[in-house]
Amino acid sequence: MSETGTESRPLGRQLPDPATASNVRYNPPLGELRELAEPDETTTEFGSPSFVSDSRSRSADRTKNAVDHAFAERDHELVDEAIDDAGTREMLCVDRLLGRHPDATFCCRLYVPAEHARIALAWANLFEPSDGREPDFRTVQLPDYDETAIRILPDDGLTAVLGSDYTGEAKKSFLRLFMYRIKQQGGLGLHAGSKRVRVRDADGDLRDVGQLFMGLSATGKSTLTAHGCWLEDPEGAVMLQDDVCALLPDGSVPGGEGKGLFIKTIGLDESEQPGLYRAATDASAILENVAVDDDGTVDFDDPRHTTNARAIVQRDELPSAADEIDLDRLDQIFFITRNPLVPPVAKLSTEQAAAAFMLGESIETSAGDPSRAGESIRVVGTNPFIVGSEGEEGNAFYGLVDLLDVDCYLLNTGSLGDEAKDVGVAESVTILTEVARGTIEWTDDDCTGLTIPESVPGLEIGDYYVPEYVDDYDAALADLRRERREYLAQFDDLREGILEAVY
């Protein structure tokens, strides 16, 4: 559980005003940012810029916020030093808008040293230009600081990123505060992708279905969110958001990123992910830590720099991306996991869904902690960026899902048992499409204790019955349930019914 935080003290210094400060270049055009970043660039065979950073993942173990962690004097000093440094060296200052919804749009201001222009270039391509309003959130990123530390003052809307040149730190600094502010407004910020699917239901009538996908990096969230589901007009599927959304009490789901996506590229496959591949190989993409030879040849399968290789891709280059980023009504939530004891899909009660939210079962990836990549982990809400009580977060999720009568599902995108049976993209997309159509026949299964499909059109679901791929499944499941209960028991403020619903 998190420590009790301390009140943030008044800031002793202020960041330079970009409109008047002589050391700040304010909102330079993207072309100018690329020119400034040129010394660090390798130009790819597609004409896109590629960069290699020193930090290649988020520094989660070096991150503290003043709500959940007791800030010592040194923590406040780090923030003050970041502000002071921003006032004395040549800086770039870029404003962007996070979101379009009238109740969920915030202005974000990033300060970064001019010699690290590639960070500003990459970040600026994720969000839409500001309309001139004052910033709600501010981040100072100083990659050459001699200590790695990320310090957040949530109530001041301020983040100091010190000693890291990873673009993901800049991106998440704003999305973290977006989610925090939404929670203060009565909604809930979610580390999730959103899409709208138009399908013919079991009666042949066209219906629009709003879907949300919750999962940690590298579990297939981007792949499934961006997938067109092989549907043909008048059916179809469009991606709205890839990474972070806000669930509001009226059932709408505002998005945050209106311009680009920050996707993983290791293993990017043209046949299984044609839309993402097309966007990543367009001249508008920006590659970070991708294997690129001196002659510009790109190899998405080569982890020479890191398995957390990334690309900033433009929504305009994704055939499945909608013009809008907000979902007007949420119907279905999918919790993506790679737990080998979980069936390809299971339908959850509201209490089970809240338990799944709190358990956040997945595998560690190179985006979070490269030293633990591949290990089984639990992250509440599959969201490493929660500010405030995690138990209260679960209670809020339960309340919203119950209020809105949202259907919730558990989705395994990994392997069954000891990697004996893979659940591939084709199988997952088939399941998602038929869930949207309402054509799956469900049954309560005594062995798994879950509601699982009895039949799925287009898929021999009997071939994916998970107990058949696990030695002594009953014992393995009993151990898993015990671990789950022990994990949830640590959240003292979690409503009782959620703990009792452990599956």
Side-chain angles (χ1 to χ4, degrees):
M1 295 293 288
S2 299
E3 301 175 74
T4 300
T6 57
E7 295 294 327
S8 61
R9 68 182 185 185
L11 296 176
R13 302 177 179 86
Q14 296 297 318
L15 286 162
D17 182 348
T20 59
S22 60
N23 69 310
V24 176
R25 298 195 204 186
Y26 185 38
N27 281 332
L30 294 177
E32 183 178 333
L33 286 176
R34 184 168 180 183
E35 289 179 8
L36 290 170
E38 188 174 356
D40 298 321
E41 175 183 328
T42 297
T43 305
T44 73
E45 59 188 297
F46 314 114
S48 58
S50 174
F51 304 100
V52 177
S53 61
D54 293 323
S55 302
R56 295 170 191 176
S57 64
R58 287 180 288 102
S59 300
D61 60 338
R62 307 291 182 89
T63 301
K64 294 172 66 175
N65 74 72
V67 170
D68 298 312
H69 307 95
F71 262 36
E73 184 66 23
R74 178 55 182 159
D75 297 305
H76 289 291
E77 287 176 354
L78 287 167
V79 176
D80 286 342
E81 288 173 19
I83 293 173
D84 189 50
D85 205 16
T88 59
R89 60 193 295 185
E90 185 182 4
M91 301 291 290
L92 301 172
C93 178
V94 181
D95 285 356
R96 287 293 185 267
L97 288 182
L98 200 170
R100 299 177 188 168
H101 191 281
D103 297 324
T105 298
F106 303 94
C107 181
C108 304
R109 177 169 290 174
L110 174 67
Y111 292 84
V112 65
E115 60 265 36
H116 295 282
R118 64 169 184 80
I119 299 173
L121 172 66
W123 179 80
N125 272 278
L126 288 169
F127 303 99
E128 295 172 302
S130 175
D131 54 6
R133 69 182 74 184
E134 286 299 304
D136 299 285
F137 310 136
R138 297 158 297 158
T139 293
V140 184
Q141 185 162 0
L142 303 174
D144 47 9
Y145 195 81
D146 58 7
E147 177 182 350
T148 300
I150 292 84
R151 297 294 181 266
I152 306 125
L153 301 177
D155 294 319
D156 294 305
L158 178 65
T159 302
V161 177
L162 303 170
S164 172
D165 64 344
Y166 181 54
T167 300
E169 292 286 10
K171 172 185 168 172
K172 290 301 185 185
S173 71
F174 296 109
L175 292 177
R176 179 189 290 114
L177 295 181
F178 168 82
M179 291 189 282
Y180 180 65
R181 189 68 59 85
I182 291 296
K183 183 164 57 174
Q184 291 178 318
Q185 296 174 184
L188 192 62
L190 299 173
H191 183 218
S194 61
K195 73 190 300 182
R196 185 174 58 249
V197 184
R198 173 168 288 183
V199 290
R200 292 195 183 278
D201 62 19
D203 297 324
D205 298 324
L206 283 173
R207 60 184 292 202
D208 285 339
V209 179
Q211 295 182 332
L212 205 62
F213 301 89
M214 300 180 61
L216 289 174
S217 297
T219 56
K221 178 163 58 70
S222 294
T223 297
L224 296 178
T225 304
H227 204 288
C229 300
W230 304 297
L231 296 171
E232 296 183 2
D233 193 59
E235 294 185 310
V238 290
M239 181 205 74
L240 301 173
Q241 281 292 278
D242 168 66
D243 196 23
V244 167
C245 305
L247 177 57
L248 302 185
D250 65 359
S252 64
V253 183
E257 293 165 286
K259 193 170 184 289
L261 290 73
F262 191 49
I263 67 168
K264 288 198 71 169
T265 58
I266 285 290
L268 189 61
D269 186 278
E270 185 175 11
S271 61
E272 289 201 334
Q273 301 148 293
L276 292 176
Y277 186 89
R278 167 179 157 178
T281 54
D282 189 79
S284 62
I286 299 172
L287 307 189
E288 183 169 281
N289 300 320
V290 174
V292 180
D293 294 335
D294 291 340
D295 64 358
T297 301
V298 176
D299 187 348
F300 289 127
D301 292 321
D302 184 348
R304 73 180 68 165
H305 300 302
T306 175
T307 55
N308 189 37
R310 295 275 180 168
I312 290 88
V313 302
Q314 296 302 289
R315 290 177 60 91
D316 291 347
E317 298 302 324
L318 279 169
S320 64
D323 292 334
E324 67 270 29
I325 65 173
D326 301 333
L327 181 63
D328 58 0
R329 187 192 74 250
L330 177 62
D331 299 294
Q332 299 168 347
I333 296 176
F334 297 87
F335 298 96
I336 303 175
T337 184
R338 292 200 167 173
N339 188 319
L341 297 181
V342 170
V345 66
K347 190 173 185 179
L348 305 176
S349 68
T350 302
E351 290 79 9
Q352 286 176 322
F357 176 90
M358 291 300 300
L359 290 168
E361 291 180 340
S362 190
I363 56 169
E364 182 60 88
T365 72
S366 51
D369 185 348
S371 67
R372 298 179 57 206
E375 294 181 16
S376 296
I377 59 170
R378 294 188 173 102
V379 179
V380 173
T382 61
N383 183 2
F385 313 103
I386 291 174
V387 176
S389 164
E390 293 173 323
E392 290 180 3
E393 199 98 356
N395 295 338
F397 177 85
Y398 174 91
L400 286 168
V401 169
D402 187 49
L403 170 70
L404 300 169
D405 195 26
V406 177
D407 292 329
C408 297
Y409 303 86
L410 195 60
L411 193 71
N412 184 357
T413 59
S415 300
L416 307 181
D418 189 20
E419 299 186 358
K421 184 73 170 178
D422 288 332
V423 183
V425 173
E427 289 82 3
S428 293
V429 170
T430 298
I431 288 169
L432 294 175
T433 305
E434 299 308 323
V435 167
R437 286 190 170 123
T439 55
I440 293 180
E441 294 184 9
W442 300 92
T443 184
D444 295 330
D445 181 65
D446 291 336
C447 188
T448 62
L450 292 166
T451 301
I452 64 173
E454 188 169 19
S455 66
V456 178
L459 185 63
E460 292 293 334
I461 195 63
D463 294 341
Y464 296 85
Y465 187 55
V466 65
E468 295 180 357
Y469 297 98
V470 181
D471 292 335
D472 200 350
Y473 178 82
D474 290 343
L477 182 60
D479 288 342
L480 178 61
R481 285 173 174 163
R482 175 182 49 79
E483 291 173 8
R484 286 168 169 167
R485 290 191 181 98
E486 290 174 354
Y487 177 78
L488 292 185
Q490 68 180 301
F491 302 101
D492 297 331
D493 47 1
L494 187 65
R495 60 180 292 145
E496 186 175 347
I498 297 175
L499 178 59
E500 294 172 352
V502 167
Y503 45 87

